[in-house]
Amino acid sequence: MKTIAVLTSGGDAPGMNAAIRAVVRTGLHKGLKVMGIQRGYSGLINGEIFEMTHHSVSDIIQRGGTILKTARSEEFRTEEGRKKAVNILKAFGIDGVVVIGGDGSLQGARLLSKLGISTIGLPGTIDNDLAYTKYTIGFDTALNTVLDAINKLRDTSSSHERVSIVEVMGRNCGDLSLYAGIAGGAESVIVPEKGFTEDELCRTILEGKLRGKMHNLVILAEGVGGAEKLAKRIQGVTGIETRATILGHIQRGGSPSAFDRILASRLGAKAVELLLDGKSSRVVGIRDGKVIDDGIEEALAMETKFDDELYEIAKILSY
Ligand code: F6P
């Protein structure tokens, strides 16, 4: 292993830069040549590759987004596209690749490793939807962004005695909503993993009002969706003014939290060590506070488990 490369792919996540920095600096420390691939798999296919130095990753640990840019590549989904990618990697003398991204990006890493390229995947997504790791890079920062929004919405909801629906990202995973709901003291958390009925929600809201609640915060995961429609329905049934706020891409940006920076640094360093040990086709993550690595096939085949216990706590505490 003489030359390695790093790329970021899919939706960006705060902490990706800290991960790039860790890969580059660990690689250089171990005497490797480190290349940066721009714009994910699409940049790889186009040969958008450059050599990185210690200086290339200066002043980025605190920055959100990704200095390597990111993209979702349709071409890489085809066999032909992947063959092109392999040829480019060979042409640049790249022996190993570190892929930082979510589920789709790590699936790409799996396919690349099937074509004989040593590949290690790092979980970078705000969604926290990868079952093999307790946390993904970016989740904690996004959670704090959502929390900040909830705190602000609580103020205005209390003043107007309104119901406030906050739609939170996470694709089909309700983790961001659940954690934000607990931390923000929300009255209801609606996630795709659990059923809910509009009637039951309206009843909970009315009962809360009768007990003297000044506001009512409903966290709605994007996997369920329909915030505006739900707001109209709640207002129609309960007679309480209701507003919907869809937080959107604001959740993807911002300076990464200390937790995400440290996680990214640990996982980035581990990825390089694995490549140097001759390992391939693996993903790194965190379980019980320890950095772990798993086979990419098994890791990506694992089903995500929703934290029912935490969900119950959220319900009890929201009374
Ligand atoms: O995977 C991260 C994520 O922000 C999801 O939570 C969301 O469903 C999706 O990406 C949005 O994708 P895009 O950036 O393409 O709008």
Side-chain angles (χ1 to χ4, degrees):
M1 187 71 47
K2 287 199 175 74
T3 305
I4 63 167
V6 55
L7 65 83
T8 49
S9 158
D12 60 356
M16 278 184 163
N17 280 329
I20 296 167
R21 174 178 177 269
V23 170
V24 171
R25 293 213 168 149
T26 308
L28 294 174
H29 174 74
K30 304 272 185 190
L32 295 170
K33 187 168 164 185
V34 187
M35 312 294 277
I37 301 172
Q38 288 185 299
R39 298 180 184 82
Y41 294 114
S42 129
L44 169 56
I45 289 170
N46 296 329
E48 294 177 58
I49 300 175
F50 67 102
E51 187 170 346
M52 299 188 81
T53 63
H54 281 93
H55 188 64
S56 326
V57 291
S58 294
D59 203 20
I60 66 166
I61 195 164
Q62 79 287 4
R63 280 163 59 188
T66 158
I67 58 158
L68 290 177
K69 311 283 180 217
T70 186
R72 303 191 202 270
S73 168
E74 279 311 314
E75 197 177 357
F76 191 77
R77 289 180 192 273
T78 66
E79 224 178 286
E80 211 180 305
R82 289 195 291 276
K83 277 192 190 138
K84 270 194 207 169
V86 170
N87 289 337
I88 293 280
L89 288 168
K90 287 191 176 146
F92 277 83
I94 293 166
D95 311 304
V97 181
V98 177
V99 171
I100 307 166
D103 184 51
S105 309
L106 300 190
Q107 292 289 358
R110 182 180 67 80
L111 294 171
L112 205 53
S113 69
K114 282 196 159 182
L115 296 174
I117 303 293
S118 293
T119 315
I120 306 291
L122 244 74
T125 166
I126 64 163
D127 297 344
N128 210 39
D129 59 349
L130 291 162
Y132 79 90
T133 182
K134 176 74 182 158
Y135 295 114
T136 55
I137 299 164
F139 174 68
D140 183 67
T141 307
L143 174 58
N144 282 294
T145 301
V146 176
L147 192 56
D148 184 49
I150 291 176
N151 291 340
K152 288 173 176 152
L153 288 167
R154 177 189 281 275
D155 289 345
T156 169
S157 284
S158 296
S159 309
H160 290 265
E161 299 177 74
R162 279 174 178 159
V163 175
S164 188
I165 301 178
V166 190
E167 190 174 307
V168 170
M169 272 187 174
R171 217 176 279 271
N172 297 314
C173 178
D175 275 23
L176 201 47
S177 294
L178 173 61
Y179 280 64
I182 285 241
E187 273 63 36
S188 301
V189 176
I190 302 171
V191 291
E193 293 88 342
K194 296 278 171 189
F196 95 102
T197 67
E198 289 179 355
D199 287 342
E200 197 188 326
L201 179 65
C202 289
R203 204 177 61 234
T204 309
I205 290 168
L206 276 174
E207 285 170 356
K209 175 126 182 143
L210 286 173
R211 285 199 310 277
K213 278 190 185 278
M214 304 296 284
H215 58 259
N216 208 296
L217 289 164
V218 179
I219 310 299
L220 176 71
E222 86 165 318
V224 178
E228 291 289 355
K229 199 163 151 253
L230 185 61
K232 283 200 180 85
R233 168 97 173 129
I234 292 171
Q235 187 160 319
V237 173
T238 65
I240 306 170
E241 258 196 314
T242 304
R243 296 284 188 271
T245 306
I246 299 169
L247 295 181
H249 288 83
I250 198 163
Q251 296 160 98
R252 289 250 292 270
S255 180
S257 65
F259 181 89
D260 277 331
R261 295 182 199 194
I262 294 165
L263 179 64
S265 301
R266 291 174 78 189
L267 300 191
K270 179 71 177 178
V272 176
E273 279 162 21
L274 287 172
L275 284 174
L276 278 169
D277 285 348
K279 303 263 172 63
S280 170
S281 221
R282 301 196 72 76
V283 283
V284 293
I286 189 152
R287 284 201 297 265
D288 300 323
K290 292 194 177 65
V291 172
I292 53 96
D293 60 288
D294 285 330
I296 203 163
E297 294 276 351
E298 307 84 84
L300 297 183
M302 280 184 205
E303 274 187 37
T304 46
K305 270 201 212 100
F306 187 67
D307 195 334
D308 288 320
E309 225 172 281
L310 206 54
Y311 182 73
E312 278 313 307
I313 292 175
K315 277 217 295 216
I316 292 165
L317 300 186
S318 68
Y319 186 77

